[in-house]
Amino acid sequence: MNSKKGHIVSSSTITPELVRLDTDFGETPGDVIGNLAKLVAGAGRTSEPSTLADAATAREEKAGTGVNGRVAIPHCRTSAVSEPTLAFARLSHAVDFAGPDGDAELVFLIAAPEGGGKEHLKILSKLARALVRSDFLDTLRNAATPEEVVAAVNVVLNAAPKEKKAAAADTAKKSATAGAAAGSTAVAGAPKTETPKPKKRIVAVTSCATGIAHTYMAADALEQAANKRNDVELRIEPQGSSGGEPVDPDFIASADAVIFAHDVAVRDRERFAGKPVVDSPVKRGINEPNIMIDEAIAAADNPNARRVPGGAAVESSGEAQGDVGWPKRIQQSIMTGVSYMVPFVAAGGLLLALGFLIGGYDVADGWQVIPLEYSPTNLPGNDVLIDGETVTFDRSGWALYMGAVLFAIGQLAMDFVVAALSGYIGYGIAGRPGIAPGFVGGAISVMVGAGFIGGLVTGLLAGFIAYWIGSWKVPRWLGSLMPVVIIPLLTSLAVGLLMFLLLGRPLGAIMTGLQGWLESMSGSSAVLLGVIIGLMMCFDLGGPVNKAAYLFGTAGLSAGTDAAYEIMAAVMISGMVPPIALSIATFLRAKLFTPAEQENGKSAWLLGLSFVSEGAIPFAAADPFRVIPSMMLGGAAAGATSMALGVGAKAPHGGIFVIFAYEPWWGLFIALAVGVVVATIAIIAAKQLWPNKAVEEAAQKADEAETAEVAVA
């Protein structure tokens, strides 16, 4: 064994030290997981059992991991382990893990290393698949020693996938031979035979949030159920973390129905467009495979059955859209658009800032001419002829030329921002057929001066129109052309006509009025705007409200006004506050935070300095009523201070690492310090005056563990 990142690396995924038979591990899933985590620590697989337990318990709270056979498989990915690890307990006192057939007697804790490769996850998926086999479960129930459990698990983990495929092929061959023999016998002997019904061809896709266990268990449960039937031919595509081969497109084209057993969005869902579909959570694929197959057969025979739209959306949240209402779906689609837009803003904005840094702030006057008229062998001087007039720049030579080139690249990237926002809102509603019309609508919005407001409107229009056209029932020969040609063509035409003939001018007037209002703000109005921006940035820490404030800030950058730069600075500075403040608070008063929060606090400050507000989400999720109001106070203070000092930022991202883009640069530090101090004091006071039960329980458990260790010593 050797050491790696503070953990002991073992050569085996499971060892006898990681197994307990006929033991009482407590009354709740959290108790069982905590005791299994201690086994992992005792075997030298982790030095952070509480972090491991917290991660697995958090996953358990989202959805119970109990499955058929009175088995539970709590699992997680965590930095607390550096190699795939299994711990097993056969409980003398069964515990409720929300399984379909009663409390769990057999419990595996599956721990995958954070960021581990696919080989790690393949090992764990093999175990998950074995848990739907009754012979394997019987072996675990009858094992007399931990060594027998380890041997049984290792047989599963070391089984070659080729053997399984060969066995399946052999079974199929025998079935075909038997069928042929039966057919020949019927012809030779029986006077009359009943023609067997053709098998229904069904495609199944399985996926779960972590992609470790449920994905593969559902796949195997459906496969085993189908193998015992004579009325279906089933092919499965598990979309898990360890990968999986896509189903043959020819089989999909000939399939009668589709089964989606999933907790996250189905990848490349448009492949199944127009097929009757049964859409359920992944656990149903594990617990009710036969029922789902029956439902798929019924859907195949029902002309009014629900069908996969002509390009279904995959939201930023990762959830399937089929079962959410339209208000939620619209919100998720806008979030999708913002999410895909951000890289354009970040790359373009940072390049603009670098252009200013290298070429000087007047480089914006020559970026369209200098990169085209000059070259590395023909560098510009201070005087450049632009549109027939001589313009004098502060810099010359390489500095002016490279600054203009960087600025040009950044400006061209920024020109895509509204189109990307619109295109991916359309994608969020209608899938791939909504992208092209959305981009077209966004480009028209820029042309008519409607800006990002127009982009929002055209994105929604493109998505809804494309979704509606995709629901048309068309002949099969036309179906293949719908998502590629027909839907984008008709939707682009509809969106373009609506913008030019009806919506473009009113939306342009709204955008012009908004920009004028921003430019007119000063004094106390600017401070009030800073307060509002700070509150929005810290309300949901990367959620819709935060993204709305960020979009508000970035939308004005292309205008190049002082007011726009000041709003961008307030957005970025207030968004940096929560992770930094929470990190400092965990250092100053560690006992007010859980061990998991203390661990998060070690790196949250860096996320804050990088303007990644999401670094505060683990704290807010665990304790929203104390964390969110405290962070909003800090954000409001930072935003107000930034606006009062007139701080401007010409970069849309990067936090403190683009300090050259702030003016005055010292205003960044003053506003950030004010916000961090206010937020830190507020969160410490809130947790001190309003104690957190989770923290008290964690502290009590730590004291008990310390007492036990002293007693043993």
Side-chain angles (χ1 to χ4, degrees):
M1 291 194 272
N2 57 6
S3 176
K4 183 179 179 182
K5 293 184 180 180
H7 306 299
I8 303 300
V9 180
S10 174
S11 60
S12 178
T13 306
I14 186 170
T15 64
E17 292 81 10
L18 292 165
V19 176
R20 290 292 183 273
L21 300 180
D22 306 319
T23 186
D24 187 346
F25 266 178
E27 300 289 332
T28 67
D31 294 336
V32 176
I33 291 170
N35 281 300
L36 286 168
K38 290 178 183 177
L39 284 186
V40 176
R45 297 298 188 91
T46 182
S47 59
E48 305 170 37
S50 61
T51 302
L52 170 58
D54 287 344
T57 301
R59 168 63 185 85
E60 189 69 31
E61 289 172 352
K62 292 179 181 177
T65 57
V67 296
N68 277 325
R70 304 188 72 180
V71 178
I73 48 167
H75 54 279
C76 64
R77 291 194 221 184
T78 173
S79 59
V81 295
S82 57
E83 60 180 318
T85 298
L86 304 176
F88 172 75
R90 189 170 69 199
L91 303 178
S92 59
H93 175 72
V95 174
D96 183 9
F97 277 81
D101 54 358
D103 295 349
E105 300 171 332
L106 308 177
V107 183
F108 273 101
L109 174 63
I110 307 177
E114 207 165 52
K118 289 187 176 181
E119 291 304 316
H120 290 171
L121 298 169
K122 285 178 180 178
I123 293 173
L124 302 179
S125 68
K126 285 182 180 180
L127 172 68
R129 304 181 100 142
L131 291 174
V132 299
R133 289 175 19 211
S134 57
D135 58 334
F136 179 62
L137 296 182
D138 289 342
T139 300
L140 297 179
R141 284 193 165 88
N142 297 325
T145 64
E147 286 76 12
E148 290 183 26
V149 172
V150 172
V153 171
N154 281 334
V155 167
V156 169
L157 298 185
N158 295 324
K162 291 181 180 179
E163 294 175 6
K164 182 177 179 181
K165 291 183 178 180
D170 185 55
T171 301
K173 184 176 180 181
K174 289 179 179 177
S175 299
T177 303
S184 62
T185 301
V187 172
K192 186 177 181 180
T193 59
E194 192 174 311
T195 304
K197 292 182 179 180
K199 291 183 177 182
K200 293 292 185 185
R201 306 188 106 194
I202 297 175
V203 181
V205 177
T206 63
S207 64
C208 65
T210 58
I212 296 175
H214 289 82
T215 298
Y216 301 99
M217 294 179 71
D220 273 23
L222 287 164
E223 183 179 30
Q224 290 182 29
N227 287 341
K228 296 176 182 177
R229 305 170 62 126
N230 296 319
D231 54 350
V232 294
E233 181 181 356
L234 181 72
R235 296 200 186 173
I236 303 177
E237 181 179 310
Q239 295 184 350
S241 297
S242 63
E245 294 183 7
V247 174
D248 184 355
D250 291 337
F251 187 87
I252 295 175
S254 64
D256 298 293
V258 179
I259 292 174
F260 291 153
H262 63 131
D263 290 335
V264 296
V266 174
R267 294 196 293 267
D268 299 324
R269 187 173 177 138
E270 64 277 356
R271 293 175 294 161
F272 311 101
K275 299 291 182 183
V277 62
V278 176
D279 195 332
S280 295
V282 68
K283 284 189 70 175
R284 190 159 181 253
I286 301 172
N287 300 330
E288 301 177 356
N290 270 305
I291 295 176
M292 291 195 76
I293 292 173
D294 289 338
E295 291 173 354
I297 293 173
D301 294 330
N302 180 6
N304 298 317
R306 176 184 170 193
R307 294 176 182 270
V308 180
V314 179
E315 291 102 359
S316 58
S317 65
E319 296 176 0
Q321 290 197 18
D323 299 320
V324 300
W326 277 107
K328 177 69 173 177
R329 187 163 177 177
I330 291 171
Q331 176 206 325
Q332 292 176 338
S333 299
I334 293 174
M335 288 291 292
T336 299
V338 174
S339 176
Y340 279 99
M341 177 204 76
V342 167
F344 288 91
V345 175
L350 290 171
L351 285 165
L352 288 176
L354 286 171
F356 280 129
L357 176 67
I358 296 172
Y361 286 112
D362 54 358
V363 74
D365 298 329
W367 70 271
Q368 292 175 300
V369 173
I370 294 172
L372 299 178
E373 298 294 331
Y374 296 90
S375 69
T377 59
N378 178 31
L379 295 172
N382 292 103
D383 296 329
V384 177
L385 188 65
I386 298 177
D387 293 333
E389 296 183 5
T390 300
V391 178
T392 301
F393 292 88
D394 290 337
R395 301 178 189 179
S396 61
W398 271 106
L400 180 58
Y401 176 72
M402 287 306 301
V405 168
L406 291 172
F407 193 96
I409 298 171
Q411 187 61 51
L412 293 171
M414 291 294 289
D415 287 345
F416 279 102
V417 166
V418 174
L421 172 68
S422 179
Y424 287 106
I425 290 175
Y427 171 66
I429 295 174
R432 291 185 184 179
I435 294 179
F439 267 84
V440 171
I444 295 173
S445 296
V446 174
M447 180 180 178
V448 300
F452 80 93
I453 293 177
L456 287 170
V457 173
T458 55
L460 293 172
L461 284 174
F464 286 128
I465 295 172
Y467 185 88
W468 173 62
I469 297 175
S471 67
W472 294 355
K473 293 183 178 180
V474 298
R476 182 178 289 272
W477 63 267
L478 186 60
S480 60
L481 294 176
M482 289 293 287
V484 180
V485 178
I486 307 299
I487 298 176
L489 171 63
L490 296 180
T491 307
S492 297
L493 177 62
V495 171
L497 291 175
L498 284 170
M499 285 298 291
F500 280 121
L501 301 180
L502 185 63
L503 299 174
R505 287 179 177 83
L507 291 174
I510 293 173
M511 193 66 189
T512 301
L514 178 61
Q515 289 175 344
W517 172 65
L518 292 177
E519 291 174 359
S520 67
M521 295 191 74
S522 62
S524 59
S525 295
V527 171
L528 177 60
L529 180 60
V531 170
I532 295 171
I533 288 172
L535 292 173
M536 292 177 70
M537 287 299 296
C538 299
F539 176 70
D540 53 2
L541 304 168
V545 178
N546 171 283
K547 288 292 188 289
Y550 181 69
L551 181 60
F552 183 55
T554 57
L557 280 183
S558 59
T561 63
D562 290 340
Y565 294 147
E566 289 175 7
I567 291 170
M568 189 68 249
V571 166
M572 187 141 50
I573 294 171
S574 57
M576 294 162 64
V577 166
I580 299 173
L582 288 163
S583 180
I584 292 174
T586 59
F587 282 105
L588 294 179
R589 298 298 303 274
K591 290 186 177 180
L592 297 176
F593 298 87
T594 65
E597 289 173 331
Q598 294 172 31
E599 189 67 25
N600 286 329
K602 295 177 182 178
S603 59
W605 63 271
L606 182 58
L607 296 175
L609 291 176
S610 305
F611 181 45
V612 180
S613 303
E614 289 84 348
I617 287 178
F619 299 90
D623 192 9
F625 296 110
R626 296 170 185 79
V627 171
I628 291 177
S630 302
M631 296 305 105
M632 289 175 69
L633 282 174
T641 305
S642 175
M643 294 296 284
L645 295 174
V647 182
K650 296 183 178 179
H653 216 293
I656 201 171
F657 298 103
V658 289
I659 188 173
F660 58 83
Y662 291 88
E663 187 177 336
W665 61 267
W666 48 265
L668 159 67
F669 293 101
I670 293 176
L672 183 60
V674 169
V676 168
V677 169
V678 170
T680 303
I681 293 174
I683 188 60
I684 290 177
K687 286 183 174 285
Q688 185 76 45
L689 299 175
W690 187 10
N692 188 338
K693 291 183 180 180
V695 175
E696 292 177 343
E697 291 173 1
Q700 183 179 354
K701 288 182 180 180
D703 291 340
E704 291 173 355
E706 186 176 349
T707 302
E709 289 177 5
V710 171
V712 171

